[in-house]
Amino acid sequence: MKPLIKRRMFTPGPTPLLPEAVLQALVTPMHHRKEDFKALFREVQEGLRQIFKTRNDIILLTASGSGAMEAAVTNLLEPGQKALVGVAGKFGERWLELTEKYSIRTKTVEVPYGESVDPAQIGAALAADEDIAAVFVQATETSTGARMDLERIGALVKVRENTVLVVDGITGLGTMPIQTDTWGLDIVIGGSQKAFMVPPGLAMLSVSSKAWSRIEKCSRPRYYFDLLRERKGQKEGQAAYTPAISVVQGLKAALDYGFRQGIDALVSNAALLAGATRAAVIRWGMKIFPRAPGNAITCFVPPEGVDPSRVISLMRERFGVLISGGQGSMKGKILRVGHLGYFDFLETLGMIGCLELCFIEAGANLEPGSGAKAAAEFYRAAVRAS
Amino acid sequence: MKPLIKRRMFTPGPTPLLPEAVLQALVTPMHHRKEDFKALFREVQEGLRQIFKTRNDIILLTASGSGAMEAAVTNLLEPGQKALVGVAGKFGERWLELTEKYSIRTKTVEVPYGESVDPAQIGAALAADEDIAAVFVQATETSTGARMDLERIGALVKVRENTVLVVDGITGLGTMPIQTDTWGLDIVIGGSQKAFMVPPGLAMLSVSSKAWSRIEKCSRPRYYFDLLRERKGQKEGQAAYTPAISVVQGLKAALDYGFRQGIDALVSNAALLAGATRAAVIRWGMKIFPRAPGNAITCFVPPEGVDPSRVISLMRERFGVLISGGQGSMKGKILRVGHLGYFDFLETLGMIGCLELCFIEAGANLEPGSGAKAAAEFYRAAVRAS
């Protein structure tokens, strides 16, 4: 017997699409140089300001989040300038690849996979070098699920006139509180395919006036990712080059949806689903991998003797569910399931039950139903407490 | 905290829509008098023949299933002719309403809600009256979830030259084996909004040559539901009046999907989901309502002291899930959840967990996770056995 299965992504991104967003893109023809699109574009920027909790400019780039990371590096820093990079996993390493590629003199504050970058170490590195012009960190490290203390890191950078703080918030936005202005985050980067519930294709950056001052002075050549050129046009709802129109349309629908729920409600929803999933993982006797986990994903260590890649295959074959394994040095050691964006409790509970069946089939000694029991108990306590 | 919820229908119909079917209807403009639609219409008829397991003509009507039930009555029987109606719930009563409305002399074989019509009683009623021109029954009675023994009833009618058997298969098709030709079912009726995974708007009837002979002789006036007129046009892919074009388009996509899975696989999928849900219900100490349940729905009795309407409200408010209560004399006494069509195990498992939480909130003394445990055990045994 081959039961009917629906394909579902429980990956850290791309994430499930909001149907209203897909339909909006599908049914409304739009030209990016006409007035209706310009108005839509500005509404999307205003909506993103509320998500980012900022009054800074929002720039949309037709690129993945990595493109926006590159834009931040090439618009801010000349060759030979100094940067400090917090590295806690694969996406911290991506900042390093970028700064190295662009001949930036880089210092790192590095922690093992699963740990969070230590703000005290950031503080010490900054204190030791007045020339550090930019600090690059993640809000949450997607490869490990670890959450960074952006508020403390922001406080350290805010007081330095010549240093800007650049935050990769790609999995952090919409899953953890990010107070861009209050915490002094100069550039915050997001990607459409994460908590925003729309397809890949758009990256967004909030840019503070402190960051703009540096960008204005930066003479490094850049063309497609020229933030100054984008700032000029985007105030009028115009991207310099053809934007991913359907994703902008979808993003408007998703922001409308997000605001109906309330942004903080989206964050607490991710927290609820993450908490329920972790309750199951812990009940199964498995270890949550990061010391300070964010809500975007649950990253955990399967039991001895169970091959994580077998569990991943079984989830796909038996139940049509995509979950993720480890990246980089964590390959074959951990599992990751997503909570960012358009997920709800019912399907998360179903996913937990299916994951349990796959673990049992892969040789783990689990009591059937124990994960659902733990998740249900967590849910009851969480809803009662609120 | 108000967690994100996705709206889901676990009702006995309408059922969840197949996304490919909705998109097909949305993106392809079609005119019902042009060649491409005629070809599509004939493909849909051929696909339905495979679902119905028949070589009989398939007639599509733009109507709900009740319209097709009326068409069967008014096309087959003159005023004053005699019919036998098997009544085991609200939809059996609908046959009675129709035969009475159209001045048909009606005998009934009636059983209490929850029971199945007894073929022996049908046989006795037929033996007692040579003039019975038609027998009307359900394949499964949607108001109670009971399954009828169509094979035995078919054998009783098949041998009578002047009697036709009309089966309301609206919830039975795609959820239980229905062998139209082998069992001698003269008219079988389906509805698009049930196991077919598409929106309401289309009903379908398979019509045997024995039924056509009677329809040809029937002089009762009929206009919109004139099956003879439809037979003529529909052989060429043309409905007499404007058909629900988008539903026909969706039905083609759904049939393509059904055939990828295999029709018997769709039935066994419904059986798996029904079995898992019933394992949970029984573990909770509740009673499955019908004595011989079909796979289309699980119909069960909530525990003493728990108000079913409260459970229905909680499912909608907490989890966005629609389930159904009782109809007619069963109002306020039972609950019904659907398995017909585009459902899979993961969401059924999630639904079970959510239903358990709602029962607990409504005052039932259930062990959290016990339903998921029973469902998971059922799944493991079912998959291992296959």
Side-chain angles (χ1 to χ4, degrees):
Chain A
M1 185 183 53
K2 250 184 116 52
L4 185 159
I5 55 177
K6 300 186 182 183
R7 287 174 53 92
R8 291 184 179 86
M9 292 195 290
F10 274 88
T11 45
T15 60
L17 304 180
L18 183 72
E20 295 96 301
V22 178
L23 279 179
Q24 190 62 47
L26 198 62
V27 302
T28 315
M30 273 205 152
H31 191 289
H32 58 294
R33 298 295 177 219
K34 303 298 175 205
E35 285 309 316
D36 56 351
F37 185 79
K38 290 181 191 175
L40 177 81
F41 197 95
R42 286 190 303 253
E43 282 166 22
V44 165
Q45 288 174 314
E46 189 48 42
L48 290 171
R49 271 188 203 99
Q50 296 188 43
I51 298 267
F52 284 59
K53 307 216 181 221
T54 187
R55 292 312 308 160
N56 291 339
D57 293 320
I58 297 281
I59 303 295
L60 293 171
L61 296 175
T62 295
S64 75
S66 298
M69 289 169 77
E70 175 164 351
V73 169
T74 58
N75 279 264
L76 282 170
L77 297 172
E78 316 269 1
Q81 277 193 296
K82 280 190 188 168
L84 177 66
V85 177
V87 180
K90 183 175 175 258
F91 291 93
E93 289 160 11
R94 180 155 303 175
W95 281 131
L96 274 187
E97 287 163 21
L98 278 161
T99 52
E100 281 164 19
K101 181 72 80 180
Y102 286 105
S103 307
I104 289 154
R105 287 190 290 160
T106 306
K107 297 195 169 180
T108 61
V109 167
E110 200 160 350
V111 290
Y113 274 57
E115 300 291 313
S116 300
V117 172
D118 180 4
Q121 284 185 273
I122 297 272
L126 284 171
D129 193 339
E130 266 305 310
D131 290 342
I132 289 172
V135 178
F136 296 96
V137 291
Q138 268 65 43
T140 61
E141 169 57 57
T142 315
S143 66
T144 69
R147 173 172 44 84
M148 310 306 154
D149 189 342
L150 293 182
E151 187 174 6
R152 278 183 65 197
I153 298 170
L156 293 164
V157 180
K158 206 152 91 168
V159 294
R160 289 168 65 108
E161 212 174 303
N162 296 316
T163 310
V164 294
L165 174 57
V166 182
V167 175
D168 160 7
I170 297 171
T171 54
L173 283 161
T175 63
M176 63 181 269
I178 294 187
Q179 302 275 355
T180 298
D181 290 356
T182 311
W183 296 350
L185 317 178
D186 295 298
I187 291 185
V188 176
I189 295 167
S192 55
Q193 78 279 17
K194 301 291 186 170
F196 295 100
M197 315 179 181
V198 293
L202 274 184
M204 53 286 274
L205 305 91
S206 70
V207 185
S208 71
S209 56
K210 189 175 171 189
W212 281 126
S213 308
R214 179 170 295 281
I215 292 168
E216 285 157 8
K217 278 183 283 194
C218 179
S219 67
R220 184 194 292 276
R222 62 261 194 191
Y223 187 80
Y224 186 74
F225 290 139
D226 182 345
L227 294 180
L228 286 174
R229 183 164 175 195
E230 294 294 348
R231 175 171 64 170
K232 197 157 161 266
Q234 294 199 9
K235 278 192 196 300
E236 309 304 321
Q238 286 287 281
Y241 313 107
T242 311
I245 296 173
S246 67
V247 186
V248 178
Q249 293 175 299
L251 196 47
K252 173 64 167 61
L255 290 168
D256 288 349
Y257 175 83
F259 292 134
R260 275 206 313 277
Q261 304 282 331
I263 293 157
D264 297 335
L266 293 185
V267 173
S268 72
N269 182 65
L272 173 75
L273 304 184
T277 305
R278 285 163 204 173
V281 166
I282 291 164
R283 185 72 53 96
W284 294 332
M286 303 178 204
K287 190 181 167 300
I288 302 299
F289 183 63
R291 188 194 296 262
N295 301 320
I297 64 173
T298 290
C299 183
F300 64 102
V301 186
E304 282 290 321
V306 173
D307 176 7
S309 68
R310 172 103 176 105
V311 175
I312 292 169
S313 306
L314 285 171
M315 276 295 266
R316 191 181 59 239
E317 290 162 19
R318 297 280 183 272
F319 302 111
V321 174
L322 299 184
I323 62 172
S324 299
Q327 295 172 300
S329 63
M330 287 297 108
K331 215 174 149 73
K333 296 181 185 162
I334 55 177
L335 287 168
R336 296 179 303 146
V337 300
H339 315 296
L340 69 177
Y342 195 54
F343 289 107
D344 75 353
F345 181 71
L346 186 148
E347 69 196 343
T348 298
L349 192 57
M351 177 275 293
I352 290 167
C354 291
L355 188 56
E356 187 176 86
L357 284 163
C358 292
F359 266 118
I360 291 170
E361 188 170 348
N365 181 23
L366 304 183
E367 167 72 10
S370 59
K373 179 180 161 72
E377 287 166 350
F378 180 90
Y379 177 93
R380 288 183 70 206
V383 169
R384 202 184 293 125
S386 72
Chain B
M1 182 183 54
K2 250 185 116 52
L4 185 159
I5 54 177
K6 302 186 182 184
R7 286 173 55 92
R8 291 185 179 85
M9 292 194 291
F10 274 88
T11 45
T15 60
L17 304 179
L18 184 73
E20 295 96 302
V22 178
L23 279 179
Q24 190 63 46
L26 197 63
V27 301
T28 314
M30 273 205 153
H31 190 288
H32 59 293
R33 298 296 177 217
K34 302 299 176 204
E35 285 309 316
D36 55 353
F37 185 79
K38 291 181 191 175
L40 178 80
F41 197 95
R42 287 191 303 255
E43 282 166 20
V44 165
Q45 287 174 314
E46 189 49 42
L48 289 172
R49 272 188 202 99
Q50 296 188 43
I51 298 266
F52 283 59
K53 307 217 182 219
T54 189
R55 292 312 306 157
N56 292 339
D57 292 320
I58 297 281
I59 303 295
L60 293 172
L61 296 175
T62 295
S64 75
S66 298
M69 289 169 77
E70 175 164 352
V73 169
T74 58
N75 279 264
L76 283 170
L77 297 172
E78 315 269 0
Q81 278 194 295
K82 281 191 187 166
L84 177 67
V85 177
V87 180
K90 184 176 176 257
F91 291 93
E93 290 160 11
R94 182 155 302 177
W95 283 131
L96 275 188
E97 286 164 20
L98 279 161
T99 51
E100 280 163 21
K101 180 74 81 183
Y102 287 105
S103 307
I104 290 154
R105 288 189 289 158
T106 305
K107 298 196 169 180
T108 60
V109 166
E110 201 160 350
V111 290
Y113 275 58
E115 300 291 314
S116 301
V117 172
D118 180 3
Q121 284 186 270
I122 297 271
L126 285 172
D129 193 341
E130 264 307 308
D131 290 342
I132 289 172
V135 177
F136 296 96
V137 291
Q138 269 64 45
T140 61
E141 170 55 58
T142 316
S143 66
T144 68
R147 173 172 44 82
M148 310 306 155
D149 188 341
L150 294 183
E151 186 173 6
R152 279 183 66 198
I153 298 171
L156 293 165
V157 180
K158 206 152 92 170
V159 295
R160 288 166 65 106
E161 212 172 302
N162 296 316
T163 310
V164 294
L165 175 57
V166 182
V167 175
D168 160 7
I170 296 171
T171 54
L173 283 161
T175 64
M176 64 181 269
I178 294 187
Q179 303 275 354
T180 298
D181 290 357
T182 310
W183 295 350
L185 316 178
D186 294 299
I187 290 186
V188 176
I189 295 167
S192 56
Q193 77 279 18
K194 300 291 187 171
F196 295 100
M197 316 179 182
V198 294
L202 274 185
M204 53 286 272
L205 305 92
S206 70
V207 185
S208 72
S209 54
K210 188 176 173 189
W212 282 126
S213 307
R214 178 170 296 283
I215 292 168
E216 285 157 8
K217 278 182 284 194
C218 179
S219 68
R220 183 194 293 276
R222 61 262 198 193
Y223 187 80
Y224 185 74
F225 291 140
D226 182 346
L227 294 180
L228 286 174
R229 182 163 177 198
E230 294 293 348
R231 175 172 62 171
K232 197 157 163 265
Q234 293 199 12
K235 278 192 194 304
E236 309 304 320
Q238 286 287 280
Y241 313 106
T242 312
I245 297 173
S246 66
V247 186
V248 179
Q249 292 175 301
L251 195 47
K252 173 64 166 63
L255 289 168
D256 289 349
Y257 175 83
F259 292 133
R260 276 206 314 277
Q261 303 282 330
I263 294 158
D264 298 335
L266 294 185
V267 173
S268 71
N269 181 65
L272 173 74
L273 304 185
T277 304
R278 285 163 204 173
V281 166
I282 290 163
R283 185 71 53 96
W284 294 332
M286 301 176 204
K287 189 180 167 299
I288 302 299
F289 182 63
R291 189 195 295 265
N295 302 319
I297 64 172
T298 290
C299 182
F300 64 102
V301 185
E304 281 290 322
V306 173
D307 176 7
S309 69
R310 172 100 177 109
V311 175
I312 292 170
S313 306
L314 285 171
M315 277 295 267
R316 191 182 59 237
E317 289 161 21
R318 297 280 183 272
F319 301 112
V321 175
L322 299 184
I323 61 172
S324 299
Q327 295 172 298
S329 62
M330 286 298 108
K331 215 172 149 75
K333 297 181 183 162
I334 54 176
L335 288 168
R336 296 179 302 147
V337 301
H339 315 297
L340 69 178
Y342 195 54
F343 288 109
D344 75 352
F345 181 70
L346 185 146
E347 68 196 344
T348 299
L349 193 56
M351 177 275 294
I352 290 167
C354 291
L355 188 55
E356 187 176 86
L357 284 163
C358 292
F359 267 119
I360 292 170
E361 188 170 347
N365 181 23
L366 304 183
E367 167 72 11
S370 59
K373 179 181 161 75
E377 286 166 351
F378 180 90
Y379 177 93
R380 287 183 69 205
V383 170
R384 202 184 292 125
S386 71

